[in-house]
Structure formats: C-alpha cells, structure tokens
Amino acid sequence: MKISLSSPYLDEEEIKAVVDVLKTPYLSMGPKIKEFEKKFAEYIGTKYAVGVSNGTAGLHISIKALNIKEGDEVITTPFSFIASSNCILYERAKPVFVDIDRKTLNINPLLISEAITPKTKAILLVHVFGQPCDMEPIMKIAKEKNLKVIEDACEAIGSEYLGKKVGTFGDLSVFAFYPNKQITTGEGGMILTNEEKFLKLAKSLRNQGRDEDSGWLEHKILGYNYRLDELSAALGIAQLEKIERIIEMRNKVAEEYNKRLKDIEGIEIPYIDTKTTKMSWFVYVIHINRMENQKKDKRLRDKLIIELAKRGIEAKPYFPPIHLQPFYREMGFKEGDFPVAEWAGDTGLALPFFTNMKIDQIEYVCDNLKALMNKL
Ligand SMILES: *Cc1c(COP(=O)(O)O)cnc(C)c1O
C-alpha cells in the first residue's frame, strides 16, 4: 500500500466550478474573488476579507499594513512553517522568538512579557497544527503593551478558542489554501480584518499599489502582484461549502489514530487543550518519547521515517524549528536557544493525514508503526 502524507479532498463540484470560470472572460479580478471573500469573512466572522495569491503573501501584506519596518521587533514562535517568520525579515524587521508550550506547541504566553522591548511593535502568533493559541493572556499583554496582533491562522481554519473562531482576535489574520491545508485553492490565501484602513491597504498592496479609486495605471504606493485569480477563487468557494464536513471527517481520522496509538509505549499522541472548543486538524503529529534522551528519540524518529517509507508510508518531521534553519543560524541563532521548540522538532513525526483517509489506511500505518516500535 502507498499512503501519502497529505491529499486534497476534491470532487465533481470543484471541477465544474473551475471549468465554469474558464467559460467566462474573467480569469482575474472578476466576480469569484468577491464572492469568495464575502463568504470567507462570513464564515470566520470578520467584517472584511482580501484574497491573496498565497498565505505567505498574506503575512507579508499584514506586516506592511502595520507599517513594521527596519528597527522594529515582532514577537513570534520558532515552531512554525518558516513563512511566519520570513515575512518579518522581508521588511528588515527583527523576529524575536519566544519558546513554546510543551503540550500545545504554541507560543508560551508566560514568556512573552520578558521578550518585549521598546522596539516591539507586534505579536505574530501561529495556531500550530490547527490548535488555537492561548488567546486570553496573549490579547491581555498586547492590550497592556499597546502591541498589534497578527494571527497566522494558515493551519487552523474553523478552529475555535473558548467558542470563538481563530482569525477573529488579531488586527489582521491570515489563512492559506495550499493543497495540504484543510481546504485548497491550489495556491491561495486570505487576509481578514475588522478595520477598514487595513482592508484598503491590503487591497492596494496586493494590486500593485492601486487604490480603489485610482485609475488603471495609477500606483499610489509600492505594491505587489499578490492577487488571487478567479479559477482559484471558484475552487475556494466550492471547498468552503464543504468545510464543516471536511473538519468532521478529519476529526474522525484523528480519533481513529488516537484510539490505535494512545497505548503504545514511547508514543505521545497529540494534546488538545480544554480551551480548544473546536479543533480543525491540519496534520497529525505524534512525538517519540521512549529513550532517556532527546537525541536518541530523534534518531529513532529518523529511523522510523526511513522504515515507514520502505513500507510505502510517507511520514515527515514537523517542524524543524525556524531558528535552526541555515540562514537563521547565520543570523546568530543556535541550538539550545529554544529548548521546547527543539524538543518538538527533534521528536515530532507527522503521519499520513487527509480528509478522506480510510480506516484500512489508518490501520496499515498504525500496524507498521507498532511493529517498528517493537523492532527498533
Ligand atoms: C501554510 C502556512 C503558511 C502559508 O503558506 P503558503 O504556502 O504561502 O500558502 C504560513 N504559515 C503557516 C504556519 C503555514 O502552515
């Protein structure tokens, strides 16, 4: 059996939606992006939405919209996909990493205050693997210290913190629709906000610096081409229709995994916090915790990846921490800087996980994993 790490969940409706766009003259900046934005904002519960070409572009625009620039600092997590920190570097500002909570793998609110300096402008938080950050203490600190908040909700569409959807807390929030996310548009992303001034700025920045009221070739500010095309937007509308079913199906897959893996010696299954009143699963990541030290667990994890691959099962480390990526090391970051993130990076193993994953596939992964844990 061959089982990939992730797989999009698409059917005839998506195909029809895209083909229908191809029969119109509007392939970009037409009616579909407006419809997708409206429906997406409604679903999450913000006033405004701006469709963009990918999540990274959305994060970059959010940094620009807050006027974050050289000399500014932004507090963020080292345990994330690299885009959440790179977007700060794009504007020559400084990412200030704060270590994560051992259980939720999200930024540890208890460590934020000590990282704040007079240069701190914002907190860019990431709802890692779909689990909401602990928003109550984070928003309290942001308010007290007058800091802006950007939510990187790229992995957490539909997740709720104490009954409130992620993406509704920050000044700006960003979602992404790469094919491994809960819903996909191929490439694509969405910026959400409740503030009209950020809406206007985001729309201008994605469209070469044009204002709504400026002419065809009048560019008021330095902008980008970060537009979402009509084909992608149509795909997004069709996917969003199914979001509740998708979240439910992924929940079921996670449950089936939990059932089979929870009693295996040396495997920690994902932790879901009590404040996570709704979980939208992005990936299913276990942690290897069998040896007396982390480096041995890492070696076991790496062997498991190789042996699982030989059996047709694609598994991956998730995430190698951002501060240990080669070009971040060149900036002076090193091993030992953020021990919890490094532990998570050393021992985390993402197993195949996708919306319509079948029981026999889950069983095949778990049986092989069990056998390997006994053997290795
Ligand atoms: C997917 C993702 C992004 C954005 O990715 P794109 O590929 O640019 O759409 C940003 N942050 C996190 C945490 C992600 O998982």
Side-chain angles (χ1 to χ4, degrees), residues 8-19 21 32-33 36 177 179 183-188 228-242 246:
Y9 179 65
L10 304 166
D11 49 46
E12 289 307 315
E13 285 122 48
E14 279 83 354
I15 294 168
K16 183 173 182 310
V18 174
V19 170
V21 170
K32 289 295 170 192
I33 185 163
F36 187 31
F177 313 120
I183 67 169
T184 186
T185 61
E187 296 282 357
L228 183 72
D229 65 82
E230 288 289 285
L231 303 155
S232 299
L235 186 48
I237 295 164
Q239 287 265 278
L240 191 60
E241 293 273 325
K242 299 176 176 157
I246 287 174

PDB file of all heavy atoms in Angstrom, residues 8-19 21 32-33 36 177 179 183-188 228-242 246:
ATOM      1  N   PRO A   8      -5.484  16.431  -1.188  1.00  0.00           N
ATOM      2  CA  PRO A   8      -6.660  17.309  -1.169  1.00  0.00           C
ATOM      3  C   PRO A   8      -7.954  16.512  -1.320  1.00  0.00           C
ATOM      4  O   PRO A   8      -7.934  15.378  -1.790  1.00  0.00           O
ATOM      5  CB  PRO A   8      -6.444  18.227  -2.375  1.00  0.00           C
ATOM      6  CG  PRO A   8      -5.510  17.492  -3.268  1.00  0.00           C
ATOM      7  CD  PRO A   8      -4.692  16.586  -2.413  1.00  0.00           C
ATOM      8  N   TYR A   9      -9.046  17.124  -0.901  1.00  0.00           N
ATOM      9  CA  TYR A   9     -10.352  16.471  -0.955  1.00  0.00           C
ATOM     10  C   TYR A   9     -11.218  17.235  -1.951  1.00  0.00           C
ATOM     11  O   TYR A   9     -11.779  18.278  -1.637  1.00  0.00           O
ATOM     12  CB  TYR A   9     -10.959  16.502   0.453  1.00  0.00           C
ATOM     13  CG  TYR A   9     -12.327  15.888   0.571  1.00  0.00           C
ATOM     14  CD1 TYR A   9     -12.525  14.538   0.346  1.00  0.00           C
ATOM     15  CD2 TYR A   9     -13.415  16.665   0.945  1.00  0.00           C
ATOM     16  CE1 TYR A   9     -13.782  13.967   0.474  1.00  0.00           C
ATOM     17  CE2 TYR A   9     -14.678  16.110   1.084  1.00  0.00           C
ATOM     18  CZ  TYR A   9     -14.858  14.757   0.840  1.00  0.00           C
ATOM     19  OH  TYR A   9     -16.101  14.205   0.976  1.00  0.00           O
ATOM     20  N   LEU A  10     -11.269  16.730  -3.168  1.00  0.00           N
ATOM     21  CA  LEU A  10     -11.947  17.435  -4.262  1.00  0.00           C
ATOM     22  C   LEU A  10     -12.871  16.471  -4.982  1.00  0.00           C
ATOM     23  O   LEU A  10     -12.578  15.292  -5.077  1.00  0.00           O
ATOM     24  CB  LEU A  10     -10.918  17.932  -5.286  1.00  0.00           C
ATOM     25  CG  LEU A  10      -9.794  18.832  -4.779  1.00  0.00           C
ATOM     26  CD1 LEU A  10      -8.702  18.946  -5.825  1.00  0.00           C
ATOM     27  CD2 LEU A  10     -10.329  20.206  -4.421  1.00  0.00           C
ATOM     28  N   ASP A  11     -13.974  16.991  -5.507  1.00  0.00           N
ATOM     29  CA  ASP A  11     -14.770  16.143  -6.415  1.00  0.00           C
ATOM     30  C   ASP A  11     -15.391  16.937  -7.555  1.00  0.00           C
ATOM     31  O   ASP A  11     -14.910  18.014  -7.891  1.00  0.00           O
ATOM     32  CB  ASP A  11     -15.775  15.279  -5.658  1.00  0.00           C
ATOM     33  CG  ASP A  11     -16.576  16.070  -4.662  1.00  0.00           C
ATOM     34  OD1 ASP A  11     -17.050  17.157  -5.053  1.00  0.00           O
ATOM     35  OD2 ASP A  11     -16.728  15.627  -3.512  1.00  0.00           O
ATOM     36  N   GLU A  12     -16.441  16.406  -8.130  1.00  0.00           N
ATOM     37  CA  GLU A  12     -17.002  16.994  -9.356  1.00  0.00           C
ATOM     38  C   GLU A  12     -17.386  18.465  -9.199  1.00  0.00           C
ATOM     39  O   GLU A  12     -17.271  19.240 -10.142  1.00  0.00           O
ATOM     40  CB  GLU A  12     -18.230  16.187  -9.817  1.00  0.00           C
ATOM     41  CG  GLU A  12     -17.900  14.810 -10.380  1.00  0.00           C
ATOM     42  CD  GLU A  12     -16.859  14.868 -11.497  1.00  0.00           C
ATOM     43  OE1 GLU A  12     -16.982  15.735 -12.377  1.00  0.00           O
ATOM     44  OE2 GLU A  12     -15.910  14.042 -11.466  1.00  0.00           O
ATOM     45  N   GLU A  13     -17.857  18.840  -8.019  1.00  0.00           N
ATOM     46  CA  GLU A  13     -18.278  20.238  -7.842  1.00  0.00           C
ATOM     47  C   GLU A  13     -17.115  21.210  -8.046  1.00  0.00           C
ATOM     48  O   GLU A  13     -17.276  22.268  -8.654  1.00  0.00           O
ATOM     49  CB  GLU A  13     -18.854  20.451  -6.436  1.00  0.00           C
ATOM     50  CG  GLU A  13     -20.241  19.882  -6.258  1.00  0.00           C
ATOM     51  CD  GLU A  13     -20.322  18.867  -5.136  1.00  0.00           C
ATOM     52  OE1 GLU A  13     -19.819  19.158  -4.036  1.00  0.00           O
ATOM     53  OE2 GLU A  13     -20.888  17.778  -5.361  1.00  0.00           O
ATOM     54  N   GLU A  14     -15.956  20.838  -7.536  1.00  0.00           N
ATOM     55  CA  GLU A  14     -14.782  21.693  -7.699  1.00  0.00           C
ATOM     56  C   GLU A  14     -14.376  21.776  -9.176  1.00  0.00           C
ATOM     57  O   GLU A  14     -14.040  22.847  -9.676  1.00  0.00           O
ATOM     58  CB  GLU A  14     -13.604  21.152  -6.878  1.00  0.00           C
ATOM     59  CG  GLU A  14     -13.649  21.514  -5.401  1.00  0.00           C
ATOM     60  CD  GLU A  14     -14.530  20.589  -4.581  1.00  0.00           C
ATOM     61  OE1 GLU A  14     -15.212  19.718  -5.151  1.00  0.00           O
ATOM     62  OE2 GLU A  14     -14.543  20.739  -3.345  1.00  0.00           O
ATOM     63  N   ILE A  15     -14.428  20.618  -9.843  1.00  0.00           N
ATOM     64  CA  ILE A  15     -14.042  20.599 -11.264  1.00  0.00           C
ATOM     65  C   ILE A  15     -14.983  21.493 -12.071  1.00  0.00           C
ATOM     66  O   ILE A  15     -14.557  22.316 -12.875  1.00  0.00           O
ATOM     67  CB  ILE A  15     -14.042  19.143 -11.797  1.00  0.00           C
ATOM     68  CG1 ILE A  15     -12.935  18.344 -11.081  1.00  0.00           C
ATOM     69  CG2 ILE A  15     -13.861  19.102 -13.314  1.00  0.00           C
ATOM     70  CD1 ILE A  15     -12.984  16.852 -11.284  1.00  0.00           C
ATOM     71  N   LYS A  16     -16.273  21.364 -11.792  1.00  0.00           N
ATOM     72  CA  LYS A  16     -17.258  22.174 -12.502  1.00  0.00           C
ATOM     73  C   LYS A  16     -17.048  23.666 -12.216  1.00  0.00           C
ATOM     74  O   LYS A  16     -17.104  24.497 -13.127  1.00  0.00           O
ATOM     75  CB  LYS A  16     -18.673  21.754 -12.094  1.00  0.00           C
ATOM     76  CG  LYS A  16     -19.746  22.510 -12.848  1.00  0.00           C
ATOM     77  CD  LYS A  16     -21.142  21.977 -12.576  1.00  0.00           C
ATOM     78  CE  LYS A  16     -22.194  22.723 -13.385  1.00  0.00           C
ATOM     79  NZ  LYS A  16     -22.125  24.185 -13.307  1.00  0.00           N
ATOM     80  N   ALA A  17     -16.779  23.984 -10.961  1.00  0.00           N
ATOM     81  CA  ALA A  17     -16.607  25.395 -10.577  1.00  0.00           C
ATOM     82  C   ALA A  17     -15.456  26.032 -11.360  1.00  0.00           C
ATOM     83  O   ALA A  17     -15.565  27.161 -11.839  1.00  0.00           O
ATOM     84  CB  ALA A  17     -16.363  25.500  -9.069  1.00  0.00           C
ATOM     85  N   VAL A  18     -14.369  25.290 -11.515  1.00  0.00           N
ATOM     86  CA  VAL A  18     -13.207  25.837 -12.215  1.00  0.00           C
ATOM     87  C   VAL A  18     -13.474  25.921 -13.720  1.00  0.00           C
ATOM     88  O   VAL A  18     -13.177  26.939 -14.362  1.00  0.00           O
ATOM     89  CB  VAL A  18     -11.944  24.986 -11.917  1.00  0.00           C
ATOM     90  CG1 VAL A  18     -10.769  25.470 -12.766  1.00  0.00           C
ATOM     91  CG2 VAL A  18     -11.594  25.054 -10.430  1.00  0.00           C
ATOM     92  N   VAL A  19     -14.086  24.876 -14.259  1.00  0.00           N
ATOM     93  CA  VAL A  19     -14.373  24.869 -15.706  1.00  0.00           C
ATOM     94  C   VAL A  19     -15.346  25.999 -16.062  1.00  0.00           C
ATOM     95  O   VAL A  19     -15.198  26.661 -17.090  1.00  0.00           O
ATOM     96  CB  VAL A  19     -14.913  23.485 -16.148  1.00  0.00           C
ATOM     97  CG1 VAL A  19     -15.433  23.542 -17.581  1.00  0.00           C
ATOM     98  CG2 VAL A  19     -13.808  22.432 -16.018  1.00  0.00           C
ATOM     99  N   VAL A  21     -15.545  28.903 -14.740  1.00  0.00           N
ATOM    100  CA  VAL A  21     -14.791  30.166 -14.835  1.00  0.00           C
ATOM    101  C   VAL A  21     -14.104  30.263 -16.196  1.00  0.00           C
ATOM    102  O   VAL A  21     -14.059  31.327 -16.816  1.00  0.00           O
ATOM    103  CB  VAL A  21     -13.748  30.278 -13.694  1.00  0.00           C
ATOM    104  CG1 VAL A  21     -12.821  31.460 -13.934  1.00  0.00           C
ATOM    105  CG2 VAL A  21     -14.439  30.414 -12.345  1.00  0.00           C
ATOM    106  N   LYS A  32     -15.700  36.115  -8.869  1.00  0.00           N
ATOM    107  CA  LYS A  32     -15.460  34.977  -7.968  1.00  0.00           C
ATOM    108  C   LYS A  32     -14.646  35.374  -6.734  1.00  0.00           C
ATOM    109  O   LYS A  32     -14.920  34.907  -5.625  1.00  0.00           O
ATOM    110  CB  LYS A  32     -14.753  33.841  -8.727  1.00  0.00           C
ATOM    111  CG  LYS A  32     -15.633  33.148  -9.726  1.00  0.00           C
ATOM    112  CD  LYS A  32     -16.783  32.421  -9.025  1.00  0.00           C
ATOM    113  CE  LYS A  32     -17.803  31.924 -10.032  1.00  0.00           C
ATOM    114  NZ  LYS A  32     -19.044  31.467  -9.378  1.00  0.00           N
ATOM    115  N   ILE A  33     -13.665  36.218  -6.918  1.00  0.00           N
ATOM    116  CA  ILE A  33     -12.865  36.598  -5.743  1.00  0.00           C
ATOM    117  C   ILE A  33     -13.732  37.383  -4.757  1.00  0.00           C
ATOM    118  O   ILE A  33     -13.656  37.166  -3.544  1.00  0.00           O
ATOM    119  CB  ILE A  33     -11.569  37.367  -6.121  1.00  0.00           C
ATOM    120  CG1 ILE A  33     -10.750  37.599  -4.846  1.00  0.00           C
ATOM    121  CG2 ILE A  33     -11.833  38.671  -6.852  1.00  0.00           C
ATOM    122  CD1 ILE A  33      -9.316  37.959  -5.059  1.00  0.00           C
ATOM    123  N   PHE A  36     -15.870  34.848  -2.943  1.00  0.00           N
ATOM    124  CA  PHE A  36     -15.062  34.047  -2.011  1.00  0.00           C
ATOM    125  C   PHE A  36     -14.732  34.882  -0.760  1.00  0.00           C
ATOM    126  O   PHE A  36     -14.860  34.407   0.376  1.00  0.00           O
ATOM    127  CB  PHE A  36     -13.788  33.577  -2.722  1.00  0.00           C
ATOM    128  CG  PHE A  36     -12.946  32.603  -1.926  1.00  0.00           C
ATOM    129  CD1 PHE A  36     -13.512  31.700  -1.025  1.00  0.00           C
ATOM    130  CD2 PHE A  36     -11.565  32.568  -2.105  1.00  0.00           C
ATOM    131  CE1 PHE A  36     -12.722  30.788  -0.312  1.00  0.00           C
ATOM    132  CE2 PHE A  36     -10.765  31.669  -1.397  1.00  0.00           C
ATOM    133  CZ  PHE A  36     -11.347  30.779  -0.494  1.00  0.00           C
ATOM    134  N   PHE A 177      -4.348  28.344   1.548  1.00  0.00           N
ATOM    135  CA  PHE A 177      -5.062  27.272   0.848  1.00  0.00           C
ATOM    136  C   PHE A 177      -4.152  26.434  -0.039  1.00  0.00           C
ATOM    137  O   PHE A 177      -4.544  26.014  -1.129  1.00  0.00           O
ATOM    138  CB  PHE A 177      -6.212  27.881   0.022  1.00  0.00           C
ATOM    139  CG  PHE A 177      -7.047  28.868   0.788  1.00  0.00           C
ATOM    140  CD1 PHE A 177      -7.160  30.185   0.347  1.00  0.00           C
ATOM    141  CD2 PHE A 177      -7.690  28.500   1.959  1.00  0.00           C
ATOM    142  CE1 PHE A 177      -7.919  31.116   1.049  1.00  0.00           C
ATOM    143  CE2 PHE A 177      -8.450  29.419   2.673  1.00  0.00           C
ATOM    144  CZ  PHE A 177      -8.567  30.730   2.220  1.00  0.00           C
ATOM    145  N   PRO A 179      -2.320  22.996  -1.188  1.00  0.00           N
ATOM    146  CA  PRO A 179      -3.036  21.704  -1.249  1.00  0.00           C
ATOM    147  C   PRO A 179      -2.988  20.829   0.004  1.00  0.00           C
ATOM    148  O   PRO A 179      -3.817  19.928   0.148  1.00  0.00           O
ATOM    149  CB  PRO A 179      -2.362  21.002  -2.435  1.00  0.00           C
ATOM    150  CG  PRO A 179      -1.875  22.111  -3.299  1.00  0.00           C
ATOM    151  CD  PRO A 179      -1.465  23.199  -2.367  1.00  0.00           C
ATOM    152  N   ILE A 183      -8.660  23.180   3.390  1.00  0.00           N
ATOM    153  CA  ILE A 183      -9.263  23.429   2.076  1.00  0.00           C
ATOM    154  C   ILE A 183      -8.213  24.072   1.176  1.00  0.00           C
ATOM    155  O   ILE A 183      -7.308  24.749   1.656  1.00  0.00           O
ATOM    156  CB  ILE A 183     -10.543  24.305   2.127  1.00  0.00           C
ATOM    157  CG1 ILE A 183     -10.233  25.738   2.563  1.00  0.00           C
ATOM    158  CG2 ILE A 183     -11.616  23.685   3.018  1.00  0.00           C
ATOM    159  CD1 ILE A 183     -11.417  26.697   2.364  1.00  0.00           C
ATOM    160  N   THR A 184      -8.345  23.825  -0.126  1.00  0.00           N
ATOM    161  CA  THR A 184      -7.303  24.307  -1.035  1.00  0.00           C
ATOM    162  C   THR A 184      -7.870  25.103  -2.206  1.00  0.00           C
ATOM    163  O   THR A 184      -9.025  24.915  -2.608  1.00  0.00           O
ATOM    164  CB  THR A 184      -6.452  23.145  -1.580  1.00  0.00           C
ATOM    165  OG1 THR A 184      -5.369  23.682  -2.353  1.00  0.00           O
ATOM    166  CG2 THR A 184      -7.278  22.215  -2.449  1.00  0.00           C
ATOM    167  N   THR A 185      -7.030  26.005  -2.726  1.00  0.00           N
ATOM    168  CA  THR A 185      -7.329  26.678  -3.993  1.00  0.00           C
ATOM    169  C   THR A 185      -6.162  26.465  -4.960  1.00  0.00           C
ATOM    170  O   THR A 185      -5.978  27.229  -5.890  1.00  0.00           O
ATOM    171  CB  THR A 185      -7.545  28.195  -3.785  1.00  0.00           C
ATOM    172  OG1 THR A 185      -6.335  28.756  -3.245  1.00  0.00           O
ATOM    173  CG2 THR A 185      -8.674  28.481  -2.810  1.00  0.00           C
ATOM    174  N   GLY A 186      -5.366  25.428  -4.733  1.00  0.00           N
ATOM    175  CA  GLY A 186      -4.071  25.284  -5.427  1.00  0.00           C
ATOM    176  C   GLY A 186      -3.081  26.108  -4.639  1.00  0.00           C
ATOM    177  O   GLY A 186      -2.565  25.688  -3.602  1.00  0.00           O
ATOM    178  N   GLU A 187      -2.805  27.309  -5.113  1.00  0.00           N
ATOM    179  CA  GLU A 187      -2.142  28.329  -4.302  1.00  0.00           C
ATOM    180  C   GLU A 187      -3.195  29.353  -3.913  1.00  0.00           C
ATOM    181  O   GLU A 187      -4.070  29.668  -4.719  1.00  0.00           O
ATOM    182  CB  GLU A 187      -1.024  29.026  -5.087  1.00  0.00           C
ATOM    183  CG  GLU A 187       0.134  28.130  -5.501  1.00  0.00           C
ATOM    184  CD  GLU A 187       1.108  27.847  -4.364  1.00  0.00           C
ATOM    185  OE1 GLU A 187       0.934  28.388  -3.251  1.00  0.00           O
ATOM    186  OE2 GLU A 187       2.053  27.063  -4.603  1.00  0.00           O
ATOM    187  N   GLY A 188      -3.101  29.893  -2.717  1.00  0.00           N
ATOM    188  CA  GLY A 188      -4.063  30.926  -2.355  1.00  0.00           C
ATOM    189  C   GLY A 188      -4.005  31.256  -0.885  1.00  0.00           C
ATOM    190  O   GLY A 188      -3.463  30.498  -0.083  1.00  0.00           O
ATOM    191  N   LEU A 228      -5.272  36.896  -6.088  1.00  0.00           N
ATOM    192  CA  LEU A 228      -5.793  35.531  -6.210  1.00  0.00           C
ATOM    193  C   LEU A 228      -6.622  35.490  -7.490  1.00  0.00           C
ATOM    194  O   LEU A 228      -7.502  36.332  -7.678  1.00  0.00           O
ATOM    195  CB  LEU A 228      -6.675  35.210  -4.996  1.00  0.00           C
ATOM    196  CG  LEU A 228      -7.255  33.795  -4.923  1.00  0.00           C
ATOM    197  CD1 LEU A 228      -6.164  32.783  -4.597  1.00  0.00           C
ATOM    198  CD2 LEU A 228      -8.349  33.711  -3.858  1.00  0.00           C
ATOM    199  N   ASP A 229      -6.336  34.539  -8.376  1.00  0.00           N
ATOM    200  CA  ASP A 229      -7.063  34.514  -9.649  1.00  0.00           C
ATOM    201  C   ASP A 229      -8.467  33.913  -9.492  1.00  0.00           C
ATOM    202  O   ASP A 229      -8.789  33.332  -8.463  1.00  0.00           O
ATOM    203  CB  ASP A 229      -6.255  33.755 -10.714  1.00  0.00           C
ATOM    204  CG  ASP A 229      -6.105  32.303 -10.342  1.00  0.00           C
ATOM    205  OD1 ASP A 229      -7.055  31.534 -10.597  1.00  0.00           O
ATOM    206  OD2 ASP A 229      -5.061  31.931  -9.773  1.00  0.00           O
ATOM    207  N   GLU A 230      -9.277  34.058 -10.529  1.00  0.00           N
ATOM    208  CA  GLU A 230     -10.685  33.631 -10.470  1.00  0.00           C
ATOM    209  C   GLU A 230     -10.848  32.114 -10.393  1.00  0.00           C
ATOM    210  O   GLU A 230     -11.791  31.617  -9.780  1.00  0.00           O
ATOM    211  CB  GLU A 230     -11.429  34.161 -11.700  1.00  0.00           C
ATOM    212  CG  GLU A 230     -11.662  35.656 -11.670  1.00  0.00           C
ATOM    213  CD  GLU A 230     -12.696  36.050 -10.622  1.00  0.00           C
ATOM    214  OE1 GLU A 230     -13.892  35.830 -10.838  1.00  0.00           O
ATOM    215  OE2 GLU A 230     -12.286  36.587  -9.573  1.00  0.00           O
ATOM    216  N   LEU A 231      -9.932  31.375 -11.046  1.00  0.00           N
ATOM    217  CA  LEU A 231     -10.015  29.905 -11.008  1.00  0.00           C
ATOM    218  C   LEU A 231      -9.833  29.428  -9.576  1.00  0.00           C
ATOM    219  O   LEU A 231     -10.574  28.583  -9.071  1.00  0.00           O
ATOM    220  CB  LEU A 231      -8.929  29.290 -11.899  1.00  0.00           C
ATOM    221  CG  LEU A 231      -8.960  29.737 -13.358  1.00  0.00           C
ATOM    222  CD1 LEU A 231      -7.592  29.603 -13.998  1.00  0.00           C
ATOM    223  CD2 LEU A 231      -9.984  28.938 -14.124  1.00  0.00           C
ATOM    224  N   SER A 232      -8.832  30.004  -8.910  1.00  0.00           N
ATOM    225  CA  SER A 232      -8.561  29.628  -7.520  1.00  0.00           C
ATOM    226  C   SER A 232      -9.712  30.039  -6.608  1.00  0.00           C
ATOM    227  O   SER A 232     -10.102  29.290  -5.708  1.00  0.00           O
ATOM    228  CB  SER A 232      -7.266  30.300  -7.042  1.00  0.00           C
ATOM    229  OG  SER A 232      -6.183  29.880  -7.828  1.00  0.00           O
ATOM    230  N   ALA A 233     -10.245  31.233  -6.849  1.00  0.00           N
ATOM    231  CA  ALA A 233     -11.339  31.717  -6.009  1.00  0.00           C
ATOM    232  C   ALA A 233     -12.565  30.814  -6.156  1.00  0.00           C
ATOM    233  O   ALA A 233     -13.223  30.462  -5.166  1.00  0.00           O
ATOM    234  CB  ALA A 233     -11.686  33.157  -6.366  1.00  0.00           C
ATOM    235  N   ALA A 234     -12.848  30.389  -7.385  1.00  0.00           N
ATOM    236  CA  ALA A 234     -14.004  29.499  -7.621  1.00  0.00           C
ATOM    237  C   ALA A 234     -13.796  28.168  -6.897  1.00  0.00           C
ATOM    238  O   ALA A 234     -14.722  27.617  -6.297  1.00  0.00           O
ATOM    239  CB  ALA A 234     -14.193  29.273  -9.119  1.00  0.00           C
ATOM    240  N   LEU A 235     -12.568  27.671  -6.959  1.00  0.00           N
ATOM    241  CA  LEU A 235     -12.235  26.434  -6.243  1.00  0.00           C
ATOM    242  C   LEU A 235     -12.433  26.628  -4.738  1.00  0.00           C
ATOM    243  O   LEU A 235     -12.981  25.764  -4.047  1.00  0.00           O
ATOM    244  CB  LEU A 235     -10.781  26.072  -6.575  1.00  0.00           C
ATOM    245  CG  LEU A 235     -10.174  24.768  -6.088  1.00  0.00           C
ATOM    246  CD1 LEU A 235     -11.080  23.595  -6.376  1.00  0.00           C
ATOM    247  CD2 LEU A 235      -8.811  24.567  -6.756  1.00  0.00           C
ATOM    248  N   GLY A 236     -12.014  27.789  -4.254  1.00  0.00           N
ATOM    249  CA  GLY A 236     -12.148  28.091  -2.831  1.00  0.00           C
ATOM    250  C   GLY A 236     -13.598  28.141  -2.374  1.00  0.00           C
ATOM    251  O   GLY A 236     -13.937  27.643  -1.298  1.00  0.00           O
ATOM    252  N   ILE A 237     -14.462  28.729  -3.211  1.00  0.00           N
ATOM    253  CA  ILE A 237     -15.896  28.803  -2.859  1.00  0.00           C
ATOM    254  C   ILE A 237     -16.465  27.389  -2.726  1.00  0.00           C
ATOM    255  O   ILE A 237     -17.171  27.072  -1.757  1.00  0.00           O
ATOM    256  CB  ILE A 237     -16.679  29.595  -3.939  1.00  0.00           C
ATOM    257  CG1 ILE A 237     -16.220  31.055  -3.956  1.00  0.00           C
ATOM    258  CG2 ILE A 237     -18.189  29.510  -3.683  1.00  0.00           C
ATOM    259  CD1 ILE A 237     -16.640  31.822  -5.207  1.00  0.00           C
ATOM    260  N   ALA A 238     -16.126  26.531  -3.689  1.00  0.00           N
ATOM    261  CA  ALA A 238     -16.639  25.154  -3.671  1.00  0.00           C
ATOM    262  C   ALA A 238     -16.103  24.395  -2.452  1.00  0.00           C
ATOM    263  O   ALA A 238     -16.838  23.615  -1.831  1.00  0.00           O
ATOM    264  CB  ALA A 238     -16.263  24.434  -4.966  1.00  0.00           C
ATOM    265  N   GLN A 239     -14.856  24.632  -2.104  1.00  0.00           N
ATOM    266  CA  GLN A 239     -14.270  23.955  -0.939  1.00  0.00           C
ATOM    267  C   GLN A 239     -14.897  24.453   0.362  1.00  0.00           C
ATOM    268  O   GLN A 239     -15.160  23.683   1.272  1.00  0.00           O
ATOM    269  CB  GLN A 239     -12.751  24.189  -0.925  1.00  0.00           C
ATOM    270  CG  GLN A 239     -12.023  23.398  -1.991  1.00  0.00           C
ATOM    271  CD  GLN A 239     -11.482  22.081  -1.445  1.00  0.00           C
ATOM    272  OE1 GLN A 239     -10.436  22.036  -0.828  1.00  0.00           O
ATOM    273  NE2 GLN A 239     -12.226  21.013  -1.671  1.00  0.00           N
ATOM    274  N   LEU A 240     -15.119  25.760   0.427  1.00  0.00           N
ATOM    275  CA  LEU A 240     -15.673  26.348   1.651  1.00  0.00           C
ATOM    276  C   LEU A 240     -17.077  25.801   1.945  1.00  0.00           C
ATOM    277  O   LEU A 240     -17.464  25.659   3.105  1.00  0.00           O
ATOM    278  CB  LEU A 240     -15.691  27.879   1.526  1.00  0.00           C
ATOM    279  CG  LEU A 240     -15.988  28.670   2.797  1.00  0.00           C
ATOM    280  CD1 LEU A 240     -14.963  28.381   3.888  1.00  0.00           C
ATOM    281  CD2 LEU A 240     -16.040  30.173   2.505  1.00  0.00           C
ATOM    282  N   GLU A 241     -17.831  25.490   0.862  1.00  0.00           N
ATOM    283  CA  GLU A 241     -19.154  24.873   1.036  1.00  0.00           C
ATOM    284  C   GLU A 241     -19.082  23.628   1.904  1.00  0.00           C
ATOM    285  O   GLU A 241     -20.025  23.282   2.601  1.00  0.00           O
ATOM    286  CB  GLU A 241     -19.707  24.427  -0.334  1.00  0.00           C
ATOM    287  CG  GLU A 241     -20.044  25.540  -1.288  1.00  0.00           C
ATOM    288  CD  GLU A 241     -21.452  26.045  -1.083  1.00  0.00           C
ATOM    289  OE1 GLU A 241     -22.329  25.226  -0.766  1.00  0.00           O
ATOM    290  OE2 GLU A 241     -21.654  27.268  -1.221  1.00  0.00           O
ATOM    291  N   LYS A 242     -17.948  22.926   1.803  1.00  0.00           N
ATOM    292  CA  LYS A 242     -17.820  21.612   2.450  1.00  0.00           C
ATOM    293  C   LYS A 242     -17.056  21.676   3.755  1.00  0.00           C
ATOM    294  O   LYS A 242     -16.730  20.624   4.319  1.00  0.00           O
ATOM    295  CB  LYS A 242     -17.039  20.679   1.523  1.00  0.00           C
ATOM    296  CG  LYS A 242     -17.702  20.461   0.227  1.00  0.00           C
ATOM    297  CD  LYS A 242     -16.840  19.601  -0.680  1.00  0.00           C
ATOM    298  CE  LYS A 242     -17.628  19.344  -1.935  1.00  0.00           C
ATOM    299  NZ  LYS A 242     -16.773  19.004  -3.058  1.00  0.00           N
ATOM    300  N   ILE A 246     -15.585  18.580   6.013  1.00  0.00           N
ATOM    301  CA  ILE A 246     -14.138  18.323   5.983  1.00  0.00           C
ATOM    302  C   ILE A 246     -13.570  18.287   7.408  1.00  0.00           C
ATOM    303  O   ILE A 246     -12.828  17.373   7.771  1.00  0.00           O
ATOM    304  CB  ILE A 246     -13.419  19.395   5.117  1.00  0.00           C
ATOM    305  CG1 ILE A 246     -13.724  19.134   3.635  1.00  0.00           C
ATOM    306  CG2 ILE A 246     -11.915  19.405   5.378  1.00  0.00           C
ATOM    307  CD1 ILE A 246     -13.211  20.197   2.676  1.00  0.00           C
TER     308      ILE A 246
END
